[in-house]
Amino acid sequence: EVQLVESGGGLAHDGGSLRLSCAASGLSFDDYAIGWFRQAPGKEREVVSCVSSGDGTPYYADSVKGRFTISSDHAKNTVYLQMNSLKPEDTAVYHCAAELFKCSDWPKVTGYLEVLGQGTLVTVSS
């Protein structure tokens, strides 16, 4: 059974930084695309960043390019999202995801991304 546990959210000021972590179990990063999507009240679900197994080129939403960085530690089965220069519009619940289909497809099928964890709330104050 695949389990994902997100952590690291919290309150940040405009321009601040946070680092999210996602501890995965029941899967191998060698087989899955992994990444993050977010859901803000009243807004569409948005894929923030992801990376496919065997393909080191990550995807970033235009809204976070240059500010967020995805990374992973395969030995720890953990994926991270370093978020810098945070903006109030980054406020959302952030979910970690692991899917067998490639990362490049994630933005086309955001509704199919499976919610396996509780997510972690990021609040950015202006």
Side-chain angles (χ1 to χ4, degrees):
E1 180 185 5
V2 175
Q3 290 187 324
L4 304 173
V5 179
E6 303 98 334
S7 61
L11 177 64
H13 294 295
D14 191 353
S17 297
L18 287 172
R19 188 194 194 204
L20 306 184
S21 298
C22 170
S25 59
L27 61 84
S28 170
F29 281 6
D30 291 336
D31 299 325
Y32 283 74
I34 53 174
W36 298 86
F37 65 92
R38 64 187 180 186
Q39 182 81 62
K43 293 186 178 181
E44 296 282 327
R45 180 184 287 185
E46 181 184 25
V47 174
V48 175
S49 180
C50 59
V51 60
S52 293
S53 61
D55 179 359
T57 304
Y59 163 87
Y60 293 101
D62 287 342
S63 56
V64 307
K65 277 181 183 175
R67 301 188 297 122
F68 291 10
T69 303
I70 191 171
S71 62
S72 62
D73 184 333
H74 285 214
K76 295 182 178 179
N77 249 28
T78 301
V79 60
Y80 305 96
L81 186 68
Q82 178 67 43
M83 306 186 296
N84 298 329
S85 302
L86 283 164
K87 304 176 181 180
E89 51 263 44
D90 294 319
T91 296
V93 176
Y94 285 70
H95 292 274
C96 178
E99 298 289 354
L100 290 172
F101 52 90
K102 57 187 178 180
C103 164
S104 56
D105 289 335
W106 284 28
K108 309 171 193 174
V109 291
T110 54
Y112 290 94
L113 296 173
E114 194 170 6
V115 178
L116 295 173
Q118 292 187 338
T120 185
L121 176 62
V122 172
T123 304
V124 184
S125 63
S126 57

